[in-house]
Amino acid sequence: MASELCKTISVARLEKHKNLFLNYRNLHHFPLELLKDEGLQHLERLYMKRNSLTTLPENLAQKLPNLVELYLHSNNIVVVPEAIGSLVKLQCLDLSDNALEIVCPEIGRLRALRHLRLANNQLQFLPPDLGRSRELQYVYVDNNTHLKGLPSYLYNKVIGCSGCGVTIQVSEVKLLSFSSGQLTVFLPAEVKAIGTENDHVLPLQELAMRSLYHTYHRVPKDLNFLSPISLPRSLLELLHCPLGHCHRCSEPMFTFVYPKLFPLRETTMAGLHQGRTTVGFVAYCCSTQCLQTFDLLG
């Protein structure tokens, strides 16, 4: 089996194939042959459905830079590496029927992505920036039973969310939650605190992070001007990749947000999902002003 797999990949490399089918191979690890030397620079579509993969390599984008479609349906993937955000040409990503509990924020920054399938996983929240790109039109998160909050960017996109929103005891989950009426949604793990209309002053750490972020964008090309001594490594890494951007004004946010919840049943999309889901759209805002002025239809 291993020699046959190596031969298949070698032929694809030699003949510069654009499509590679590695479905039903009982693979427990990403094939090293795919990552060897320069990888498969011409490959555009990779099919690896119904294997036993648990993760993806960090250098995936470096070795397969021209991937347009990636099909990983029915594996055991728990973590998707941040490096997937470097697949700048990726238009279709299928991670349905895996064991995902968290989707890294970088997926929300894939500017070419049009189709995203995350159905039948174990997700409790989605990255705040998911759907910010106008290219993303189709998102399927069906049967993530504990998922109750969809980023407001997904409003007016084609979404599948049947089977989401099953009641769970908040005490069972080590995440911040936010409630509106009878609906409670979980917020991303990066969110350390949330604000209300009465909290006009941001925490000092959040103010500092936003200030440093803007300084970085005005002056140098990278964050090397901030030494590890001047800032803890965890915060330095966060500056490279904010939690998300305000859904009202696009201000970057890091550990503090002002959430606003719109239950799906109270929107014009209610008829499309009647009785099949209990979810809401979450607007992540950066200030009380944005919180008060955000309009889901705006």
Side-chain angles (χ1 to χ4, degrees), residues 184-236:
T184 298
V185 302
F186 300 112
L187 302 178
E190 294 87 351
V191 177
K192 304 306 180 187
I194 59 176
T196 68
E197 291 185 355
N198 298 320
D199 299 320
H200 298 284
V201 180
L202 288 169
L204 183 59
Q205 177 178 306
E206 183 69 17
L207 281 170
M209 294 294 287
R210 294 185 189 183
S211 178
L212 284 171
Y213 185 86
H214 289 301
T215 299
Y216 150 62
H217 277 281
R218 280 198 306 267
V219 188
K221 297 287 186 183
D222 55 46
L223 286 166
N224 290 332
F225 78 105
L226 291 171
S227 69
I229 297 176
S230 63
L231 201 66
R233 177 178 292 275
S234 59
L235 297 184
L236 192 59

Side-chain angles (χ1 to χ4, degrees), residues 70 72 84 90-95 107 113 115-117:
L70 179 56
L72 297 163
I84 199 167
L90 196 65
Q91 296 180 17
C92 179
L93 177 59
D94 187 352
L95 284 163
I107 283 184
L113 193 65
H115 296 77
L116 177 61
R117 295 181 178 274

Side-chain angles (χ1 to χ4, degrees), residues 29-271:
H29 305 284
F30 206 84
L32 293 177
E33 191 69 22
L34 270 175
L35 310 173
K36 189 171 143 185
D37 300 326
E38 295 183 356
L40 275 70
Q41 300 287 314
H42 295 85
L43 193 67
E44 295 182 1
R45 296 171 189 84
L46 177 58
Y47 300 81
M48 299 186 72
K49 298 179 182 180
R50 298 194 179 276
N51 284 290
S52 298
L53 302 175
T54 57
T55 188
L56 300 175
E58 291 285 348
N59 59 348
L60 183 64
Q62 178 186 351
K63 300 298 183 177
L64 307 174
N66 291 302
L67 273 186
V68 175
E69 299 176 10
L70 179 56
Y71 298 95
L72 297 163
H73 182 287
S74 299
N75 278 277
N76 298 316
I77 297 173
V78 177
V79 177
V80 178
E82 298 174 357
I84 199 167
S86 299
L87 288 170
V88 295
K89 296 184 179 181
L90 196 65
Q91 296 180 17
C92 179
L93 177 59
D94 187 352
L95 284 163
S96 50
D97 288 277
N98 276 280
L100 291 174
E101 295 182 4
I102 295 176
V103 175
C104 62
E106 284 71 17
I107 283 184
R109 299 184 177 100
L110 288 168
R111 291 290 172 246
L113 193 65
R114 291 180 56 82
H115 296 77
L116 177 61
R117 295 181 178 274
L118 298 169
N120 299 304
N121 279 285
Q122 301 169 28
L123 300 173
Q124 296 174 2
F125 60 86
L126 295 173
D129 274 354
L130 187 63
R132 190 173 180 227
S133 169
R134 292 183 179 181
E135 292 298 322
L136 185 61
Q137 293 298 319
Y138 305 90
V139 178
Y140 300 95
V141 291
D142 305 83
N143 299 320
N144 283 276
T145 55
H146 300 323
L147 178 64
K148 292 189 175 185
L150 307 176
S152 69
Y153 288 126
L154 297 181
Y155 192 70
N156 285 334
K157 310 233 183 211
V158 178
I159 59 172
C161 55
S162 297
C164 294
V166 173
T167 302
I168 183 174
Q169 295 296 323
V170 175
S171 59
E172 297 177 12
V173 183
K174 296 180 180 179
L175 294 170
L176 281 181
S177 61
F178 175 70
S179 300
S180 178
Q182 297 181 344
L183 181 61
T184 298
V185 302
F186 300 112
L187 302 178
E190 294 87 351
V191 177
K192 304 306 180 187
I194 59 176
T196 68
E197 291 185 355
N198 298 320
D199 299 320
H200 298 284
V201 180
L202 288 169
L204 183 59
Q205 177 178 306
E206 183 69 17
L207 281 170
M209 294 294 287
R210 294 185 189 183
S211 178
L212 284 171
Y213 185 86
H214 289 301
T215 299
Y216 150 62
H217 277 281
R218 280 198 306 267
V219 188
K221 297 287 186 183
D222 55 46
L223 286 166
N224 290 332
F225 78 105
L226 291 171
S227 69
I229 297 176
S230 63
L231 201 66
R233 177 178 292 275
S234 59
L235 297 184
L236 192 59
E237 291 175 351
L238 190 58
L239 276 178
H240 284 277
C241 183
L243 157 71
H245 294 78
C246 177
H247 291 196
R248 177 69 175 85
C249 73
S250 295
E251 174 79 8
M253 301 174 294
F254 296 89
T255 61
F256 189 89
V257 299
Y258 292 85
K260 192 171 186 176
L261 184 57
F262 301 85
L264 186 147
R265 64 176 179 273
E266 298 176 10
T267 72
T268 56
M269 295 179 64

